[in-house]
């Protein structure tokens, strides 16, 4: 209430921002009038003038009005010219309106511009892109698919080329040299996946600076920003490669799970029949009623979408009683009752959490001879029992432990594969969650209805779906590089976005991306008529009402766009239209190639278009001749989506630029949204008024009630995205450190200094480690030169001798200066290294030095990603110990990452004299034959099992390398203590001077060539 009063008095922040921008729009228009007097060449020369002024110290804000005016004037000069867009001739007819200039200012200032469909967002982006590209840095426009990227770069490229800038476009399957050329342009168009995968290839896989394609992360405008940064934010971009050996058992388990699914279906059908017969009796007792409701609850636990169950639950009284019973069964005060109810089932499932698990009866049915085949034994107790068995020798204990661990791994894999197959059969529907085309399982985007080629469900779920559909099961893969969409775009210095629907998610945009939403008014008033939702009991009644509405409007010639939330719904409605001989086009994930063509024709007289939520985002629906007089385009929603944004997008397909239009949504109590998150209020109303089959409910309050259910789902999804981001922030800090180290090795003009900087740190850390463990038997604890010699000779094949280790060690064997001893050893190693490579050309030596560092980073980083996946999967179990999984994850991740850095540094040192050109050439030949896969993978928050991460000791103990920036564990702010160790006797009183740093004496020489030689 208070918020509404404050908004009425002071207006919204968006309106206040727009009011401040209005004088700038007037100034831009005045400058543009002056520019009309210039010749084409004089206008084009303004670009060089702007660049020169920026070089002299002016800011982008200083020249914004003039730059925007130049773009507007260029558009005016292009009017009437014939241009070519994607091979099709067009005539340019666009000059920015004032509201489009407002949108451009909002984008330049790093905001999200919410502009209705048809308001020309494609043109709006040209003004801030032109302005920011004047800096000489690559500016990017990110869109949702390759077609729109190509179309918009061809189309808007005419403006940039006219003003003397270059425009490039990324497309899937472009070779690296072409991609590099696109990034070399001033402005680059492409999809979020293309930009993200290029980043991963550059930072995580390039072996030479010449292989890099990207150059800046300066300014990006994200078109349809809600789709990219919210709908796709839960899914990371992943580059994966094949695993050495496949261990899955999907092919073997699929027939068993299929049989189990059939048995469960038959069981649920019998339970519903029995419950129905009991509930239909007039003389039913309370005990009989309770038994009947328990049978229905069993069906709900076993198959919640069972059609006979949904039919019974159309009765509001039964639905209400069942919900009360479920609450009682799940309550903590009735522990054990849930297991009793589920005992008769073969497996139990939960739609909301997307989980499915075998019951004891299910295990017995799958493996009657060995019911324990799908029970994982207690690892710790079994290993403890083996260790305590005094009848076994050490050799026998070792053999028995290995045999048990192999059995444990096999059972864990079998149980995991079984769980994924159950999910595939029970929770993922063909033509809803995925489609099968050309012998492949392809994911359907739940928000847009588009097929997502190249993307796979994670954790074996995709392979389970392939087994279910009996197509070829693809080989397992392992992660080679990964980043989430959220963290990729947070790297940009300045980020902006535009969409038709962002206001409902303004809070999330501000919390995660620090982006404010500015609602830009339409150029002409929107006159669309939005009817109240029509609510029915069943889907059958709803579909009949939709069909009646379509027929009535089609008979008078009014075009209809019928939006559905799944491929299955679109095909059902299409069959119903065919039976009534209504000509129509169908646009869904199976027919997405003709998307732009179908949507563009949807506004013609008599057109009927059935479309999933994709509904041609990015493609305008223009009304044909005479359609405005018929009422414009009528949009029908066959059900409400989980997100209000998607519904608003569908409504926004009509009434562009002041055109007439109307919209209406049809809802049934059987829709997933209403079943899972809907209110009891609507069910009570149906019962109270005794509505018969085919009767509908309509009221603004009911529409608001549905939107409340949508808001619940949106809050749940936001919580998941936020939690995902919290976990990924840990990986992001690690990624920044690893990629920073990798980039330094890749781009350094002198990789020798990078390599020996690592060697110096390894030697110094080993010296400090040995110094912290005084040699046994020596008075007061002397420095163990023998331990250091053993390490040096094991790591570097140089036959170090005792008499060579003199610097920094006193006559009585104490370490007096770790720095002096480190420099003496590193100089000895460097001298031998130069002698070994004396006959090699300088280019080959630099190549070897780079690859010595890069090979260690890449190999160990991939292993680390696998370990982190396992760690994250196991975190959910920490809840049972009353611990916060996120805090636990941060602490464990720090330990694992510290181990990783130790291993990388040790491997670099160990391979210094072992890497040769012949070995590298052989390795590259092998790697070139391995396929890579670009995956935009979806995953649950805590899917999968646990993995034990071991930390093998390096040398004579874990190296005490320098603290890692940004990687301190939570709460304490200090590294997690592993074991207490004696304090090193050597303390540095002044800042450390690196051997390649300038000497502090002021000679101008490097420290190692000056005072460091002493």
């Amino acid at each position: 209430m208070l918020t509404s009063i404050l908004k009425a008095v002071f207006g919204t922040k968006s309106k206040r921002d727009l009011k401040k921008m209005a004088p700038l729009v007037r100034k831009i228009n005045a400058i543009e009038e002056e520019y009309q007097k210039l010749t084409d060449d004089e206008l084009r020369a303004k670009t060089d003038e702007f660049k020169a002024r920026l070089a002299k110290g002016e800011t982008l804000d200083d020249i914004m009005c003039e730059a925007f005016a130049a773009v507007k004037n260029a558009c005016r000069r292009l009017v009437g010219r014939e241009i070519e867009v994607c091979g099709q001739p067009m005539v340019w007819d666009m000059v920015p309106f004032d509201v489009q200039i407002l949108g451009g200012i909002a984008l330049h200032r790093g905001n999200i511009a919410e502009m209705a469909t048809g308001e020309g967002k494609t043109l709006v982006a040209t003004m801030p892109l032109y302005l920011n590209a004047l800096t000489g840095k690559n500016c990017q426009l990110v869109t949702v698919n390759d077609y729109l990227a190509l179309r918009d770069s061809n189309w808007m490229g005419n403006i940039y080329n006219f003003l003397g800038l270059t425009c490039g476009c990324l497309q899937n399957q472009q070779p690296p040299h072409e991609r590099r050329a696109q990034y070399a342009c001033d402005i680059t168009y492409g999809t979020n996946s293309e930009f993200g995968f290029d980043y991963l290839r550059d930072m995580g896989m390039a072996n030479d600076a010449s292989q890099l394609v990207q150059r800046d992360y300066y300014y990006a405008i994200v078109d349809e920003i809600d789709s990219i940064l919210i709908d796709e934010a839960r899914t990371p971009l992943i580059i994966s490669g094949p695993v050495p050996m496949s261990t899955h058992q999907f092919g073997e388990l699929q027939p068993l799970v299929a049989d189990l699914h059939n048995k469960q279906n038959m069981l649920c059908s019998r339970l519903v029949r029995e419950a129905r017969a009991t509930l239909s009796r007039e003389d039913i007792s309370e005990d009989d009623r309770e038994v009947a409701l328990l049978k229905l609850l069993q069906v709900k636990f076993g198959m919640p979408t069972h059609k006979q169950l949904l039919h019974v639950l159309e009765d509001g009284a039964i639905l209400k009683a069942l919900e009360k019973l479920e609450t009682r069964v799940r309550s903590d005060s009735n522990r054990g009752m849930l297991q009793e109810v589920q005992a008769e089932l073969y497996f139990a499932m939960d739609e909301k959490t997307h989980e499915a698990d075998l019951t004891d009866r299910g295990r017995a049915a799958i493996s009657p001879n060995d019911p324990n085949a799908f029970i994982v034994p207690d690892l710790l107790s079994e290993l403890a029992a083996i260790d305590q068995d005094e009848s076994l020798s050490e050799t026998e204990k070792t053999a028995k432990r290995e045999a048990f661990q192999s059995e444990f791994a096999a059972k864990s894999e079998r149980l995991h594969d079984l769980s994924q197959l159950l999910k595939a059969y029970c929770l993922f529907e063909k033509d809803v969650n995925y489609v099968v085309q050309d012998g492949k399982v392809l994911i359907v985007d739940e928000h847009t209805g588009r097929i997502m080629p190249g993307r796979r469900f994670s954790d074996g779920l995709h392979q389970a779906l392939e087994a279910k559909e009996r197509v070829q099961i693809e080989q397992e893969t392992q992660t080679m590089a990964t980043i989430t969409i959220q963290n990729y775009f947070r790297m940009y210095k300045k980020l902006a976005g535009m969409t038709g629907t962002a206001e409902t998610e303004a809070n999330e945009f501000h919390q995660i991306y620090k982006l404010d939403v500015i609602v830009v008014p339409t150029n002409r008033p929107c006159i669309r008529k939005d009817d109240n939702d029509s609510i029915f009991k069943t889907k059958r009644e709803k579909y009949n009402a939709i069909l009646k509405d379509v027929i009535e409007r089609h008979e008078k010639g009014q075009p209809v766009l019928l939006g559905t939330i799944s491929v299955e719904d679109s095909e059902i409605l299409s069959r119903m239209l065919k039976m009534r001989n209504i000509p129509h086009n169908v646009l869904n994930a199976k027919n997405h190639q003709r998307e732009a063509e179908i949507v563009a024709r949807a506004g013609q007289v008599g057109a009927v278009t059935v479309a999933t939520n994709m509904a041609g985002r990015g493609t305008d629906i223009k009304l044909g001749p005479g359609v405005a007089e018929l009422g414009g385009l009528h949009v029908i929603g066959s059900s409400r989506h989980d997100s209000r944004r998607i519904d608003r997008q569908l409504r926004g397909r009509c009434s562009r630029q002041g055109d007439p239009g109307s919209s209406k949504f049809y809802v049934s109590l059987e829709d997933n949204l209403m079943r899972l998150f809907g209110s009891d209020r609507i069910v009570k109303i149906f019962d109270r008024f005794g509505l018969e089959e085919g009767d509908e409910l309509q009221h603004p309050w009911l529409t608001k009630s549905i939107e409340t259910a949508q808001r619940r789902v949106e809050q749940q999804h936001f919580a998941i995205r936020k939690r995902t981001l919290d976990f990924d922030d840990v990986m992001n800090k690690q990624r920044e450190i690893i990629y920073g180290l990798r980039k330094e090795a890749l781009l350094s003009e002198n990789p020798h200094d990078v390599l020996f900087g690592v060697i110096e740190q390894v030697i110094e850390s080993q010296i400090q480690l040995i110094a912290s463990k005084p040699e046994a038997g020596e008075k007061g604890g002397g420095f163990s030169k023998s331990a250091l010699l053993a390490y040096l000779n094991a790591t570097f094949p140089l036959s170090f001798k005792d008499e060579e280790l003199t610097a920094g060690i006193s006559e009585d064997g104490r370490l007096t200066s770790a720095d002096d001893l480190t420099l003496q050893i590193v100089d000895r190693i460097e001298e031998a290294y130069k002698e070994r490579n004396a006959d090699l050309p300088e280019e080959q030596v630099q190549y070897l030095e780079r690859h010595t560092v890069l090979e260690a980073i890449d190999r160990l980083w991939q292993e680390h990603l696998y370990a982190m996946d396992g760690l994250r999967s196991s975190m959910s179990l920490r809840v049972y110990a009353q611990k916060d999984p996120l805090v636990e994850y941060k602490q464990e991740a720090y330990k694992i990452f510290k181990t990783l850095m130790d291993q990388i540094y040790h491997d670099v040192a160990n391979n210094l004299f072992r890497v040769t050109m012949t070995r590298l050439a052989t390795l590259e030949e092998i790697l070139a034959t391995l396929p890579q896969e670009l995956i935009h993978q979806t995953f649950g928050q805590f899917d999968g099992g646990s993995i034990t991460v071991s930390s093998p000791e390096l040398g004579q103990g874990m190296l005490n390398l320098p603290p890692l920036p940004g990687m301190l564990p939570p709460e304490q702010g200090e590294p997690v203590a592993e074991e207490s160790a004696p304090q090193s006797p050597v303390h540095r009183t002044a800042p450390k001077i690196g051997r390649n740093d300038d000497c502090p004496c002021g000679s101008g020489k490097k420290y190692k060539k000056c005072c460091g030689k002493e």
Side-chain angles (χ1 to χ4, degrees):
M1 183 68 178
L2 180 61
T3 305
S4 301
I5 294 172
L6 291 173
K7 283 183 179 179
V9 175
F10 299 106
T12 62
K13 182 182 183 301
S14 182
K15 288 182 178 178
R16 294 195 299 273
D17 289 339
L18 290 171
K19 192 173 181 180
K20 292 177 186 176
M21 293 179 193
L24 295 174
V25 175
R26 290 193 290 271
K27 183 178 178 181
I28 290 167
N29 287 332
I31 296 172
E32 195 271 332
E33 285 184 16
E34 293 296 318
Y35 283 178
Q36 292 178 26
K37 302 172 185 176
L38 303 177
T39 65
D40 287 358
D41 289 338
E42 288 173 332
L43 179 64
R44 197 171 290 114
K46 286 288 179 182
T47 298
D48 292 331
E49 178 192 321
F50 296 149
K51 288 181 178 179
R53 287 166 60 184
L54 288 173
K56 291 177 181 177
E58 289 193 54
T59 66
L60 290 175
D61 288 340
D62 294 335
I63 65 169
M64 181 187 72
C65 291
E66 295 165 82
F68 277 34
V71 173
K72 181 172 181 177
N73 191 248
C75 292
R76 191 180 302 280
R77 292 168 191 251
L78 288 171
V79 170
R81 293 195 187 184
E82 185 172 297
I83 59 174
E84 188 175 286
V85 178
C86 295
Q88 300 296 319
M90 287 179 60
V91 176
W92 187 277
D93 60 352
M94 298 182 295
V95 179
F97 300 123
D98 287 356
V99 292
Q100 290 175 308
I101 296 174
L102 282 172
I105 297 171
L107 293 175
H108 165 62
R109 292 180 172 177
N111 296 304
I112 294 173
E114 180 179 297
M115 302 180 71
T117 300
E119 290 298 304
K121 293 187 286 291
T122 306
L123 182 63
V124 169
T126 59
M127 292 175 276
L129 283 173
Y130 170 75
L131 171 62
N132 284 271
L134 294 172
T135 60
K137 296 176 181 176
N138 179 236
C139 296
Q140 298 162 3
L141 187 130
V142 185
T143 188
V144 293
N145 60 44
D146 276 352
Y147 167 74
L148 291 179
L150 183 62
R151 185 201 71 179
D152 294 352
S153 62
N154 280 184
W155 197 6
M156 299 300 115
N158 289 280
I159 299 173
Y160 308 129
N161 295 335
F162 187 90
L163 291 170
L165 294 185
T166 54
C167 179
C169 176
L170 296 175
Q171 294 284 283
N172 194 14
Q173 304 300 325
Q174 270 180 337
H177 70 276
E178 286 187 23
R179 305 182 85 82
R180 196 174 303 111
Q182 307 311 311
Y183 283 110
C185 295
D186 298 300
I187 296 160
T188 306
Y189 284 68
T191 65
N192 58 308
S193 296
E194 295 302 320
F195 286 117
F197 283 133
D198 283 340
Y199 166 75
L200 291 177
R201 279 186 289 252
D202 277 5
M203 293 296 101
M205 302 181 72
N207 290 317
D208 191 86
S210 63
Q211 296 176 1
L212 301 178
V213 296
Q214 292 186 331
R215 59 188 181 100
D216 292 308
Y217 306 103
Y218 172 63
Y219 180 59
I221 296 176
V222 183
D223 192 12
E224 307 294 359
I225 192 169
D226 58 320
S227 174
I228 291 173
L229 294 194
I230 290 183
D231 297 340
E232 299 195 18
R234 288 177 289 168
T235 60
L237 295 168
I238 295 174
I239 296 180
S240 68
V243 296
M245 183 176 66
S246 179
T247 59
H248 74 75
Q249 303 172 37
F250 293 111
E252 173 190 338
L253 293 173
Q254 183 272 332
L256 301 175
V257 175
D259 182 57
L260 203 67
H261 184 262
N262 290 334
K263 287 179 178 177
Q264 180 103 318
N265 189 31
M266 293 169 63
L267 171 64
C268 289
S269 298
R270 177 176 62 79
L271 290 172
V272 173
R273 283 197 307 271
E274 292 173 358
R276 214 172 185 176
T278 303
L279 292 171
S280 63
R281 293 197 333 242
E282 294 183 2
D283 58 340
I284 184 173
S285 66
E286 281 302 315
D287 289 343
D288 289 344
R289 180 180 174 81
E290 175 92 356
V291 170
L293 288 173
L294 278 171
K295 289 180 178 179
L296 292 179
L297 188 59
Q298 286 179 312
V299 178
K300 187 174 182 182
F301 287 157
M303 285 189 163
T305 57
H306 195 283
K307 292 185 178 180
Q308 293 182 40
L309 173 68
L310 296 179
H311 189 63
V312 171
L313 295 184
E314 291 171 13
D315 187 320
I318 295 177
L319 176 62
K320 185 177 180 181
L322 190 65
E323 287 175 346
K324 283 186 177 179
L325 179 61
E326 182 177 1
T327 303
R328 179 155 59 90
V329 168
R330 290 185 182 276
S331 69
D332 291 338
S333 59
N334 289 314
R335 290 184 179 178
M337 191 173 179
L338 179 63
Q339 285 73 20
E340 289 177 14
V341 173
Q342 294 177 347
E344 194 175 345
L345 301 172
Y346 293 98
F347 54 84
M349 54 187 288
D350 189 330
E351 273 191 299
K352 289 186 180 180
T353 60
H354 260 219
E355 292 295 331
D357 292 307
L358 281 178
T359 62
D360 289 340
R361 185 178 184 185
R363 293 188 192 97
I366 281 188
S367 181
N369 299 324
D370 183 11
N372 292 328
F374 293 94
I375 298 178
V376 178
D378 187 335
L379 181 65
L380 295 178
S381 62
E382 290 288 341
L383 291 177
I386 293 171
D387 288 337
Q388 294 168 8
D389 190 346
E390 297 179 359
S391 65
L392 299 176
S393 66
E394 284 302 318
T395 305
E396 290 172 331
K397 284 181 181 180
T398 302
K400 198 166 183 179
R401 274 197 296 267
E402 289 177 354
F404 172 73
Q405 287 172 343
S406 297
E407 180 192 356
F408 180 85
K411 282 192 172 183
S412 298
E413 180 72 26
R414 190 185 309 129
L415 191 61
H416 172 263
D417 291 353
L418 185 73
S419 175
Q420 297 300 74
L421 277 168
L422 283 173
K423 287 183 187 179
Y425 270 92
C426 305
L427 299 170
F428 287 80
E429 293 183 52
K430 184 179 177 181
D431 293 339
V432 177
N433 305 104
Y434 65 93
V435 295
V436 179
Q437 288 185 357
D438 302 324
K440 291 185 180 295
V441 172
L442 303 174
I443 300 174
V444 174
D445 190 316
E446 63 177 314
H447 298 287
T448 65
R450 290 186 174 96
I451 282 181
M452 300 192 289
R455 304 187 190 184
R456 294 176 66 81
F457 291 113
S458 66
D459 207 23
L461 177 58
H462 208 96
Q463 292 163 296
L465 289 170
E466 288 167 338
K468 170 189 171 183
E469 298 299 335
R470 300 185 181 181
V471 299
Q472 182 180 349
I473 301 174
E474 298 291 337
Q475 186 179 355
E476 291 171 87
T477 59
Q478 64 183 11
T479 300
M480 299 172 72
T482 177
I483 190 171
T484 60
I485 293 291
Q486 290 167 318
N487 277 319
Y488 175 72
F489 283 108
R490 285 162 77 193
M491 293 192 310
Y492 282 77
K493 183 178 180 181
K494 190 161 70 170
L495 185 66
M498 49 191 187
T499 180
T501 49
E503 196 174 17
T504 56
E505 311 292 345
N507 182 48
E508 181 170 351
F509 280 124
H510 182 75
Q511 279 194 39
I512 293 180
Y513 301 101
K514 306 300 181 217
L515 295 172
D516 291 327
V517 176
I518 294 180
V519 181
V520 180
T522 55
N523 185 49
R524 296 176 182 172
C526 179
I527 59 172
R528 182 182 67 236
K529 180 187 175 186
D530 295 330
D531 294 330
N532 291 322
D533 294 2
S534 287
I535 306 170
F536 297 86
K537 262 193 171 184
T538 66
K539 284 186 177 181
R540 183 181 66 256
E541 298 168 48
K542 179 183 72 173
Y543 288 149
N544 288 332
I546 290 172
L547 187 63
K548 181 181 177 183
D549 192 1
V550 172
I551 291 172
E552 287 177 0
R553 296 180 186 276
H554 178 67
E555 286 176 349
K556 70 175 186 177
Q558 185 179 9
V560 176
L561 175 64
L562 176 51
T564 67
I565 64 169
S566 70
V567 175
E568 182 183 41
D569 284 358
S570 67
E571 293 187 341
I572 289 172
L573 287 165
S574 175
R575 286 196 296 270
M576 294 175 73
L577 290 170
K578 284 179 181 176
M579 290 171 66
R580 295 297 187 95
N581 296 317
I582 304 293
H584 61 280
N585 284 312
V586 179
L587 175 61
N588 60 33
K590 292 183 175 180
N591 192 25
H592 65 100
Q593 296 89 348
R594 296 175 55 220
E595 176 179 350
E597 176 191 349
I598 291 174
V599 171
R601 294 208 307 260
Q604 304 303 311
V605 173
V608 176
T609 308
V610 182
T612 48
N613 287 324
M614 62 205 309
R617 283 182 82 153
T619 305
D620 279 348
I621 300 178
K622 297 181 180 179
L623 300 185
V627 171
E629 291 75 19
L630 298 170
L633 178 67
H634 180 62
V635 172
I636 296 175
S638 68
S639 55
R640 285 280 194 166
H641 194 272
D642 289 351
S643 169
R644 290 171 294 164
R645 283 183 302 104
I646 308 299
D647 291 344
R648 288 182 64 203
Q649 281 281 358
L650 185 59
R651 287 193 196 274
R653 304 317 302 169
C654 64
S655 296
R656 61 178 296 280
Q657 288 292 325
D659 288 340
S662 55
S663 69
K664 184 180 181 67
F665 279 86
Y666 290 81
V667 180
S668 84
L669 299 185
E670 292 180 353
D671 292 346
N672 286 344
L673 176 70
M674 301 304 294
R675 280 194 311 105
L676 299 175
F677 299 95
S679 168
D680 292 342
R681 186 184 307 166
I682 299 174
V683 178
K684 290 177 183 176
I685 292 172
F686 268 98
D687 293 341
R688 186 177 302 158
F689 291 101
L691 297 176
E692 300 296 331
E693 182 171 339
D695 291 343
E696 66 177 293
L697 281 176
Q698 273 194 34
H699 197 279
W701 289 358
L702 295 178
T703 301
K704 285 186 178 179
S705 179
I706 294 171
E707 289 178 353
T708 300
Q710 290 177 302
R711 199 174 287 113
R712 288 194 200 113
V713 183
E714 289 167 0
Q715 289 168 352
Q716 184 186 51
H717 287 173
F718 173 50
I720 293 172
R721 288 192 292 268
K722 187 70 171 65
R723 193 68 168 174
T724 298
L725 183 64
D726 289 341
F727 274 85
D728 194 64
D729 277 344
V730 179
M731 271 300 297
N732 198 47
K733 290 175 183 176
Q734 297 182 0
R735 186 188 302 110
E736 287 174 0
I737 294 169
I738 289 293
Y739 284 2
L741 182 63
R742 202 178 187 285
K743 190 174 183 179
E744 183 184 9
L746 197 63
L747 300 181
S748 173
E749 294 181 359
N750 193 351
H752 181 87
D753 286 351
V754 176
L755 177 61
F756 274 85
V758 171
I759 300 298
E760 182 181 355
Q761 289 193 39
V762 171
I763 299 298
E764 183 184 15
S765 298
Q766 193 67 38
I767 290 171
Q768 294 285 7
L769 177 66
I770 294 170
S772 69
K773 299 176 180 178
E775 188 172 28
E778 296 226 3
K779 187 177 179 181
F783 179 75
S784 178
K785 289 174 69 174
S786 59
L788 181 60
L789 281 168
Y791 169 77
L792 292 173
N793 288 324
T795 307
F796 308 100
L798 301 180
S799 301
F800 277 92
K801 296 181 175 60
D802 185 276
E803 56 269 20
E804 293 180 285
L805 306 182
T806 56
I809 300 178
S810 64
E811 292 181 2
D812 60 355
R814 291 181 174 277
L815 180 66
T816 58
S817 173
D819 287 349
D820 290 348
L821 182 56
T822 298
L823 286 173
Q824 183 183 40
I825 295 171
V826 172
D827 284 343
R828 167 84 166 84
I829 295 170
E830 189 171 17
E831 182 182 349
Y833 179 79
K834 287 181 177 177
E835 286 180 11
R836 189 197 79 155
N837 296 329
D839 296 332
L840 290 175
E842 181 65 21
E843 289 182 0
Q844 284 193 13
V845 173
Q846 289 193 352
Y847 182 78
L848 278 172
E849 289 166 344
R850 279 199 178 90
H851 281 265
T852 301
V853 178
L854 294 177
E855 192 272 336
I857 293 173
D858 293 347
R859 177 173 50 80
L860 293 169
W861 176 242
Q862 288 172 27
E863 294 174 7
H864 177 74
L865 290 175
Y866 181 75
M868 290 296 290
D869 283 345
L871 175 67
R872 181 168 177 167
S873 300
S874 69
M875 281 299 107
S876 59
L877 301 176
R878 304 293 174 97
V879 175
Y880 296 109
Q882 303 297 310
K883 294 181 179 179
D884 183 345
L886 181 60
V887 173
E888 292 290 301
Y889 179 72
K890 287 180 178 179
Q891 292 177 340
E892 295 291 335
Y894 177 81
K895 294 177 185 178
I896 297 172
F897 187 67
K898 191 173 186 305
T899 300
L900 168 71
M901 296 302 291
D902 289 347
Q903 288 176 321
I904 288 174
Y905 279 56
H906 176 76
D907 269 29
V908 170
N910 202 48
N911 290 331
L912 181 66
F913 288 93
R914 293 174 173 84
V915 173
T916 63
M917 289 301 297
T918 305
R919 179 186 166 194
L920 275 178
T922 305
L923 179 64
E924 287 185 352
E925 286 177 11
I926 295 171
L927 291 176
T929 63
L930 296 178
Q932 290 175 3
E933 194 165 10
L934 306 184
I935 304 175
H936 195 157
Q937 198 166 14
T938 61
F939 64 97
Q941 191 169 340
F942 292 119
D943 285 350
S946 62
I947 181 170
T948 303
V949 183
S950 60
S951 304
E953 295 206 349
L954 307 179
Q956 298 183 31
M958 292 308 297
L959 301 183
N960 184 23
L961 292 173
L964 310 175
M967 281 308 301
L968 297 185
E971 312 302 333
Q972 301 95 329
E974 303 244 349
V976 176
E978 308 235 358
E979 292 180 3
S980 59
Q983 184 71 28
S984 171
V986 181
H987 300 275
R988 182 181 292 116
T989 57
K992 173 176 169 58
I993 304 167
R995 62 196 304 275
N996 293 304
D997 294 342
D998 292 334
C999 189
C1001 72
S1003 65
K1005 298 180 181 179
K1006 289 188 176 181
Y1007 178 63
K1008 67 180 180 181
K1009 298 294 184 183
C1010 188
C1011 298
K1013 294 178 68 176
E1014 299 174 3

